[in-house]
Amino acid sequence: MTRPVRTVTLDRIGSHEPPLGPATGWSRRGQWWLAAVAGAFVLAQLVLVGPGMGLGWDESVYVSQVSSHAPASFFSAPRARGISLLVAPVAGWSSSTPLLRVYLALLAGLGLFLALRAWRGLFPVRVLALGGALFASLWVTVFYGPQAMPNYWVAVGALAGVGCFLQAQTDRTRRGPVWGLAASALLMAWMRPTDAVWVSLPLLFLSAVPRRWRHGRLLFALTGGLVAGAAEWVIEAYVRFGGLGRRLSEGSDIQGGLGWHIAIGDQLRSLSGRSLCRPCTGAMPNPLVTAWWFALPVLAAIGLAVAVRGRRTPPTALLLACAMTAAIPYLFLIGYAAPRFLLPTYALLAIPVADALTRLVTAPGGAWRPVAVTLVALGLAGHLAVQYAVLAHTVQRTTAGHKGWERTAAALRREGVRPPCLLTGPSTLPIAFYAECGSASTQGPNANTDTAAIARTARRIPVAVLTAGGARPPSYARGWRLVRLDGAVYAYIAPTR
């Protein structure tokens, strides 16, 4: 029986080792290494973040859309419903946050494994395993992997999509990579349509313009995946927001007005564990906390040099191009920062960085090779120590904040504010989810009602206005009962009828 022939159309892709094709050697040499990295990532999420960390502000919005235990929170223009559908198999019937965390951690590990597996034969197994480990060991990856947030899923979709694109270019007779590209594009657009477009720009250009790369099936798969993933978001734009342009405009307003903003300093400040840096003020973190961020572009450039020297430039160059386009809106077009925004960029840079590090410790260097090995080992050890110090601090602070919301919700129940009920006021949205109440706001990005409607609702069900430090309530609540709930949180509670 003759073995299938694999047609290679890109110059010496994966020249570190022979193309693997459909042979079983891949299972022996690579699959278990990648599975081990993914398994360690799952374990890190469950141990270092822990299932007991309650739901955050944005998580409560996404989960409430499919939860049977709390009313749906207001869903603002920039959000997409992909993550809500992802958590629906658990959140639709259970209110257990630990169960949801375990479910998401397992899915995150599976997603990382599949994304790395899409690169089989394009890089050596050791590079893929190290790249996966580098990405999975970042504090921001471990922290957001088990959360009901979309950014991690855009990251693994981007990594898998670029790998499938290259696999399909390497052998144009295979259908699996084409379907993989479509699925990856769908996943990204399902989670965050605008991010999916930014990540895909180099792929769209290559599959449509340069003759060498032009590939009708890939262009169809990529655009089809993006359109299918974003379809619900676009339809909702016309149903709820008055059109796609109106939704994009409203989303820009909520994000402070998209335009020329240099947010590099904001991103650096967020690396200390600030989940949202808005406004992003204060001193820069300790240089030890930000050193890895400055090392990334340097190591990525070394990875590109290694690829050029080895005459296998396309995979590395495409990873870097997609990483740059993914980063552009969050480094130059938005006036605030969150570390999770750059997860797709970190995922795409991980493989070139791993290739550079592997080359540094394996290249013939005589007396210099032990020095290089020692420096890389010390650098990685210090990097991991910093990452997990930031992670521990972030988890502790975040868990304490979520516990405060839980205590406030419990205090409201003791005061008679029980479902069906409505909460309004600053910082109300996550507390309302914990209390299983609806939430209402008359101003700001979550505005969904007016004062007259809240006053009418107070005649039917329990309503409370939450304030910080007993601040003056709205005019309609000035005769309501004032109680202290937890810490500096006070509530004006409507009289029961």
Side-chain angles (χ1 to χ4, degrees):
M1 182 176 179
T2 59
R3 296 183 64 179
V5 177
R6 185 179 186 186
T7 304
V8 179
T9 59
L10 301 179
D11 294 341
R12 296 187 63 186
I13 279 185
S15 61
H16 295 286
E17 56 189 27
L20 299 176
T24 57
W26 165 255
S27 297
R28 293 194 301 269
R29 290 184 291 170
Q31 203 147 245
W32 291 110
W33 281 105
L34 303 188
V37 170
F41 177 48
V42 172
L43 187 63
Q45 295 172 78
L46 296 178
V47 173
L48 300 176
V49 177
M53 187 177 72
L55 294 180
W57 183 302
D58 292 295
E59 287 186 290
S60 65
V61 174
Y62 290 120
V63 173
S64 71
Q65 306 305 307
V66 294
S67 174
S68 60
H69 305 278
S73 300
F74 176 72
F75 207 76
S76 60
R79 302 186 188 276
R81 297 185 184 272
I83 197 67
S84 298
L85 296 176
L86 186 71
V87 302
V90 171
W93 60 271
S94 173
S95 60
S96 172
T97 299
L99 179 62
L100 183 61
R101 292 272 185 248
V102 172
Y103 165 75
L104 288 172
L106 292 172
L107 279 186
L110 177 62
L112 179 62
F113 171 75
L114 294 176
L116 293 173
R117 193 174 183 272
W119 288 85
R120 62 192 186 279
L122 299 175
F123 283 91
V125 170
R126 63 179 180 270
V127 171
L128 297 181
L130 177 59
L134 289 173
F135 174 63
S137 62
L138 293 175
W139 77 261
V140 63
T141 310
V142 180
F143 185 68
Y144 284 104
Q147 293 197 43
M149 297 288 285
N151 311 86
Y152 173 82
W153 296 102
V154 176
V156 294
L159 186 60
V162 178
C164 289
F165 181 89
L166 287 165
Q167 296 282 9
Q169 288 284 357
T170 302
D171 183 354
R172 297 197 176 195
T173 65
R174 296 169 61 194
R175 295 184 179 181
V178 177
W179 285 106
L181 175 61
S184 300
L186 186 148
L187 175 65
M188 290 191 292
W190 197 35
M191 294 294 170
R192 289 187 70 87
T194 51
D195 285 13
V197 172
W198 281 103
V199 170
S200 302
L201 285 177
L203 305 182
L204 290 166
F205 174 79
L206 288 177
S207 60
V209 179
R211 179 174 296 180
R212 178 187 175 190
W213 289 81
R214 198 178 303 158
H215 194 328
R217 280 202 305 171
L218 280 188
L219 181 61
F220 179 78
L222 181 57
T223 55
L226 292 173
V227 170
E232 187 279 331
W233 195 83
V234 173
I235 292 170
E236 187 179 37
Y238 287 93
V239 173
R240 287 187 54 212
F241 298 94
L244 182 58
R246 185 74 175 270
R247 182 168 195 173
L248 290 171
S249 176
E250 189 170 326
S252 174
D253 292 341
I254 288 173
Q255 294 173 309
L258 298 181
W260 182 249
H261 300 282
I262 299 179
I264 296 174
D266 295 343
Q267 286 291 344
L268 285 171
R269 289 183 177 89
S270 75
L271 293 178
S272 62
R274 299 171 68 174
S275 59
L276 182 64
C277 200
R278 186 180 187 182
C280 207
T281 56
M284 286 288 182
N286 188 300
L288 291 175
V289 173
T290 58
W292 70 272
W293 209 75
F294 292 103
L296 269 181
V298 176
L299 290 171
I302 295 174
L304 180 60
V306 168
V308 171
R309 187 174 181 180
R311 296 176 60 192
R312 48 181 177 78
T313 307
T316 299
L318 190 54
L319 279 167
L320 297 182
C322 292
M324 286 190 292
T325 57
I328 285 173
Y330 295 115
L331 294 181
F332 302 109
L333 300 179
I334 193 169
Y336 64 97
R340 66 181 183 271
F341 290 165
L342 293 181
L343 275 171
T345 297
Y346 301 150
L348 292 165
L349 290 178
I351 293 178
V353 168
D355 201 19
L357 292 175
T358 302
R359 178 64 178 174
L360 288 173
V361 300
T362 59
W368 288 104
R369 183 173 176 181
V371 175
V373 172
T374 301
L375 290 176
V376 170
L378 289 175
L380 289 176
H383 169 70
L384 288 175
V386 170
Q387 293 300 307
Y388 290 112
V390 175
L391 177 64
H393 171 72
T394 304
V395 170
Q396 183 181 24
R397 187 187 66 249
T398 304
T399 302
H402 295 176
K403 293 291 185 183
W405 292 338
E406 190 175 349
R407 289 193 301 269
T408 300
L412 282 168
R413 285 192 290 270
R414 289 194 297 269
E415 295 294 336
V417 182
R418 299 185 181 90
C421 47
L422 182 71
L423 303 185
T424 185
S427 303
T428 294
L429 200 148
I431 298 172
F433 178 81
Y434 278 84
E436 300 180 13
C437 295
S439 58
S441 180
T442 59
Q443 56 187 354
N446 297 308
N448 61 348
T449 189
D450 54 38
T451 56
I454 295 175
R456 288 195 301 270
T457 302
R459 303 189 190 106
R460 299 184 290 104
I461 62 174
V463 173
V465 179
L466 304 187
T467 67
R472 284 175 61 85
S475 57
Y476 63 82
R478 286 176 187 165
W480 294 3
R481 177 168 58 99
L482 175 64
V483 297
R484 182 174 180 175
L485 299 175
D486 179 67
V489 181
Y490 290 78
Y492 290 86
I493 302 176
T496 55
R497 303 296 182 186

